[in-house]
Amino acid sequence: MLAVLVSLQGFLFNLNFLQVGVVRAEDEAPAVIINEIFWSGSSLSMVDEFIELHNTTDEDIDISNWVITGAAANRNNLIISTSSTIPALGFFIVANYSPENEKSILDIEADFVTSSISLANSDAFYELEDADGNYIDRADDGEGEPFAGDNEARASMARKPDCWDGGLEECWFTSETRANLKDEVLDLATPGEENGWEEPEVNLAPTAKIISPATAEVNVEIIFDGSQSFDPEEEETSFVWYLDDEEAGTDESLSMSFEESATREIWLVVSDGELENSTSTQIVIFSKPEPPYAPDEGDVLINEFLSNPNGGSEWIELLNKTEETIDLEDWTIWDGKSKIFQLSDFIEPNGFFLATLASAKLNNSGDQVILKYNNQIIDRVAYGDWEDEDISDNAPCSGQEHALARPHGAADTGNDFSDFVVTTTPTPGQGNQILSPEEPEEEDENEEESADEDAAEEDEAEDFYDEANADYEEQSDEAEDEPAPLCYEPDTLLINEFVSDPPKGTDEWIEVYNPLAEEILLDGWWIEDGSKTKTYLEGAIAGNDYFVVYEPRGKLNNGGDSIALKDACGNLIDEVVYGDEIAAPTKETSLARDGEAWFLTYSLTPGAANEIIFDESEDEAVEEGEDVKVEDNEDLGSSKISSTKAKAATKEAESYQLTDFSKSGEWREEGKIALLGIVTVLPGTLGAQYFYMGDDQGRGVQVYNYKKEFPDLNIGQEIRVSGTLSKTNEMWRLKTKFPEDMEVLEEGEAVARAVALEEISPDYLAGFIEVEGEVTDRKSSYLYLDDGTGELKVYFQKSGAPENIKLESGDKLKVRGILTATKSELRVEPRLPEDMELLNESPLVGETEKKTGRSYNNLAGLIPLGILVVLGAVNLKKLKKFMPNKK
């Protein structure tokens, strides 16, 4: 029985707890709520306060003796008087003053007037309880300032509709309207009325959006378009663009370009004045790959050719007019009927290539020479009686032993071949020398016609003079009255000596020498450096005399430059390029001419004959009167020295850094090195002007000599080569001057580095490597290998391999050779026929038959054995019938 009572007591306790409303659902409306609290006091009296209750039901509710805790003085409880009823859905106002009191702002009767009301300005907390003490509602939380209301504006704290937990701040707002208040006051409250709550408009943030490409090329304009950004309320928006945290623009769109490859991030911030939104986009900037090399007409010229030799071979000389090394693999030379020469090797910038024909191809009386890249005609010339579209513009026949050559600077490449002239001095592989054969005298009957032609030529010369003088930096107003300048042949005057790196306090200078007997007027002549800066000359240079130009305009580069001497007609008379094949002067030396060669000398002789002194001690010996033999050469205005001594002195004047292939990562273009390595390819195998050397790690270098002067070499020899580094198609090249620059140390062996095709990279360029793979494509001069990891071109036209191998697609092949490069691909070039080894050779026919017969014989031997086994089994079964059973 006691247990039942205890349980009943607990049930009643829980029921009472539910009635108080402690566990009332949050969305359940109390029957009566605290609806408005005017805690600030009015503009008429500081104690003019009121509190308003609201009946949320549709029935009247008796609230006699209900309590509002904390609403009386000293935070005591305020008890509502007896006989107090709050009508259905109505209001009940508890105020300090009745509306008749001058201190009250109310313009409506209060339901309960009491001076006990006192509403706190801070830490307020109110609870509404019924007469039995049951919890009905609450307001505020007892901490800090009230949830709402305004002490300065005299505005009440008003309850939001349908917000049933008065202990939450979000259920209250500060009144912004007035109702049932006296007209003379501006206080804000709504006693006896709905509180006038209106949901405020919510400002939604704008949306930022960028329209742009995902990729773009370097230096190409890109548009980042923000026009599709928008604001939901259609408010006016502003734009700010950012790149790398820096502001880049404030328009609706942004236009930019980038100078180098990278991945860049662009940000856009869009704002409506209150709220903002941002977004970003990434764009990949890439450099446009260089298109495959496609030469233009005139890049390489037919410069000179010999079609009628007196013994020996016909030859054709090509000149590279560009500043690039050109791979001649896909180039051919044709005569008027067919292809006569397949080119290979490379042609250096402004360098020559000599095609020597194996047999007579060019007609003596007339033919044409055509230079092609693939099927594109790069240059052509018709000569003699060759009939083409217009035979009148053909170049003349050269005659026996004479060559047809372009004068220096001629560059016509169309159908007009008149720029070719006959020269009696062929210069294969060198600059042209135009020495015309003597022409027969004209007969008297042609004198009048000749005079007319001379007059026309004079007019043409005057026109040329006017054009040349238009380029002068300072043109004379009296130029029209001056006589036409004289035009001269190359080497009329010579650049004889110069200083490009003078000691501090002294000037650069250039010395010109006149090897002729007569005086030459220099007005209108100029000296031009590599940057095309001109220094104009004035005055005259006497026969066998010197002319020194101090402080030339533009300044000569210490490390290397060019000096050109041009006459008043613009003809190139002489030129020297230093810093590469010719060493640049140091601060103590000049470069001086000796015949056709240039040497560093410690004896500086501006305005006098050159003295080639190789070191300062020798110079001091001359000053002290020691006997140093110098042979004068008045014709050249310089001093003769022995060729061997000159070469050795030039080499000693240069400084070479000893290195090997393990230090190739430190190499720099134009660096002067002495390199140790093994000869892997002999001169003349893959090119006439170079050979290859390397190490056993697949690293290598091409050793180049313009004059094709090499010592006797064997493959595998250890060698030391001194020269200047450069690059051709990303491959290291070591340029040498003399055979003495290549010193053989000892005999050895060249070992190829085995490389998988997936490992092939420019790191192996010029290196001796070995690769294996399956033949996938076979042409007359190349094939492709594939080992499953990559593919590589094997180019064998130069070496003649394969000679005795019949290759087909699918064959397995081992190849040893040098890794080289064109502008578009890497390739391996075998040196010799034996560098290509077929790996899938089939067995001999006889051996195949023998193996087949042996297999048949073995099978025949097994047949009797099988029969014996079967018979034995049968006999054993019969034998068991006669054997006694064991028990």
Side-chain angles (χ1 to χ4, degrees), residues 27 68 220 304 532:
D27 59 350
I68 305 175
V220 173
E304 185 180 8
K532 305 303 181 183

Side-chain angles (χ1 to χ4, degrees), residues 496-498 509-513 541 544-550 603-610 637:
N496 198 49
E497 187 180 8
F498 64 93
W509 51 266
I510 302 169
E511 176 190 83
V512 178
Y513 176 69
I541 180 171
N544 299 316
D545 205 353
Y546 304 87
F547 185 94
V548 182
V549 179
Y550 290 96
S603 175
L604 280 55
T605 58
N610 296 341

Side-chain angles (χ1 to χ4, degrees), residues 560-825:
D561 209 337
S562 65
I563 306 172
L565 175 64
K566 296 187 178 182
D567 67 10
C569 299
N571 296 326
L572 181 65
I573 304 303
D574 194 18
E575 184 178 25
V576 58
V577 179
Y578 66 92
D580 189 359
E581 298 293 333
I582 300 176
T586 62
K587 286 190 180 297
E588 298 82 18
T589 63
S590 69
L591 262 177
R593 178 193 290 271
D594 183 280
E596 294 297 323
W598 288 86
F599 302 99
L600 296 174
T601 176
Y602 281 86
S603 175
L604 280 55
T605 58
N610 296 341
E611 292 182 298
I612 309 301
I613 305 298
F614 295 114
D615 54 53
E616 292 177 283
S617 60
E618 188 175 350
D619 192 16
E620 293 171 359
V622 173
E623 292 178 0
E624 294 171 2
E626 293 182 15
D627 184 17
V628 177
K629 183 179 181 181
V630 176
E631 299 176 8
D632 292 332
N633 185 332
E634 296 181 356
D635 293 338
L636 293 176
S638 59
S639 301
K640 278 288 183 181
I641 61 174
S642 71
S643 174
T644 302
K645 183 178 180 181
K647 294 176 182 177
T650 304
K651 183 174 178 181
E652 290 173 2
E654 297 174 332
S655 176
Y656 296 98
Q657 182 178 1
L658 184 63
T659 183
D660 58 31
F661 289 97
S662 66
K663 301 176 183 178
S664 59
E666 304 172 5
W667 295 355
R668 298 290 183 269
E669 290 196 66
E670 303 304 322
K672 296 183 181 298
I673 64 172
L675 178 63
L676 296 174
I678 300 296
V679 176
T680 55
V681 181
L682 295 179
T685 302
L686 300 182
Q689 294 176 302
Y690 55 82
F691 68 92
Y692 287 90
M693 62 184 291
D695 65 1
D696 58 3
Q697 299 302 308
R699 296 171 294 206
V701 69
Q702 182 190 93
V703 181
Y704 179 89
N705 186 281
Y706 174 73
K707 296 182 180 179
K708 310 174 189 175
E709 295 180 347
F710 302 102
D712 291 334
L713 298 174
N714 294 319
I715 290 178
Q717 287 176 326
E718 185 179 358
I719 187 172
R720 178 170 55 213
V721 179
S722 302
T724 302
L725 285 168
S726 67
K727 276 194 173 182
T728 172
N729 288 334
E730 296 303 314
M731 178 171 65
W732 282 115
R733 168 178 285 180
L734 189 58
K735 295 181 289 187
T736 62
K737 299 178 182 179
F738 312 110
E740 293 82 0
D741 293 334
M742 295 161 269
E743 181 183 357
V744 176
L745 302 178
E746 61 182 2
E747 298 297 327
E749 182 182 2
V751 179
R753 168 71 176 238
V755 182
L757 296 187
E758 66 177 346
E759 300 174 351
I760 295 294
S761 71
D763 294 339
Y764 292 108
L765 277 174
F768 186 34
I769 64 172
E770 177 182 280
V771 295
E772 293 184 15
E774 184 177 293
V775 177
T776 59
D777 190 9
R778 170 73 161 84
K779 302 294 184 183
S780 61
S781 60
Y782 63 88
L783 57 82
Y784 281 95
L785 281 186
D786 190 327
D787 67 351
T789 68
E791 189 177 60
L792 180 65
K793 185 176 183 178
V794 179
Y795 180 75
F796 47 77
Q797 179 171 334
K798 298 177 183 177
S799 64
E803 285 185 349
N804 301 315
I805 304 176
K806 184 178 181 181
L807 292 173
E808 297 179 356
S809 295
D811 285 341
K812 285 201 65 177
L813 189 66
K814 178 187 291 186
V815 178
R816 289 175 294 275
I818 302 298
L819 187 69
T820 62
T822 65
K823 290 183 179 292
S824 59
E825 64 181 356

Side-chain angles (χ1 to χ4, degrees), residues 264-423:
R264 309 302 296 269
E265 188 168 24
I266 304 292
W267 282 87
L268 171 62
V269 178
V270 179
S271 172
D272 64 2
E274 295 182 1
L275 299 176
E276 63 183 30
N277 180 252
S278 64
T279 187
S280 68
T281 185
Q282 282 190 339
I283 185 167
V284 177
I285 310 300
F286 62 92
S287 297
K288 186 176 182 180
E290 294 185 5
Y293 172 69
D296 292 328
E297 183 178 346
D299 279 2
V300 179
L301 297 182
I302 301 167
N303 193 53
E304 185 180 8
F305 62 94
L306 182 66
S307 60
N308 188 7
N310 184 12
S313 302
E314 299 175 351
W315 50 262
I316 300 167
E317 176 192 80
L318 306 180
L319 170 64
N320 181 0
K321 296 288 287 183
T322 74
E323 299 300 322
E324 302 290 334
T325 298
I326 297 177
D327 186 350
L328 297 175
E329 175 186 350
D330 297 318
W331 295 64
T332 53
I333 298 176
W334 299 62
D335 65 3
K337 294 182 179 180
S338 60
K339 182 173 72 174
I340 60 174
F341 196 86
Q342 175 69 53
L343 297 173
S344 61
D345 213 327
F346 298 87
I347 183 169
E348 296 298 310
N350 300 305
F352 301 96
F353 181 91
L354 188 65
T356 302
L357 305 184
S359 60
K361 299 290 185 181
L362 301 177
N363 298 329
N364 296 341
S365 60
D367 208 333
Q368 66 174 339
V369 182
I370 305 172
L371 175 64
K372 290 184 180 182
Y373 171 73
N374 289 327
N375 292 322
Q376 177 188 356
I377 294 178
I378 303 302
D379 193 19
R380 63 183 289 262
V381 56
Y383 65 93
D385 59 5
W386 180 262
E387 293 188 3
D388 54 4
E389 297 176 358
D390 184 6
I391 194 173
S392 64
D393 66 358
N394 285 5
C397 274
S398 60
Q400 195 171 42
E401 295 184 346
H402 298 168
L404 278 175
R406 276 192 164 106
H408 188 88
D412 293 342
T413 59
N415 291 327
D416 182 4
F417 313 122
S418 59
D419 57 342
F420 276 88
V421 297
V422 177
T423 176

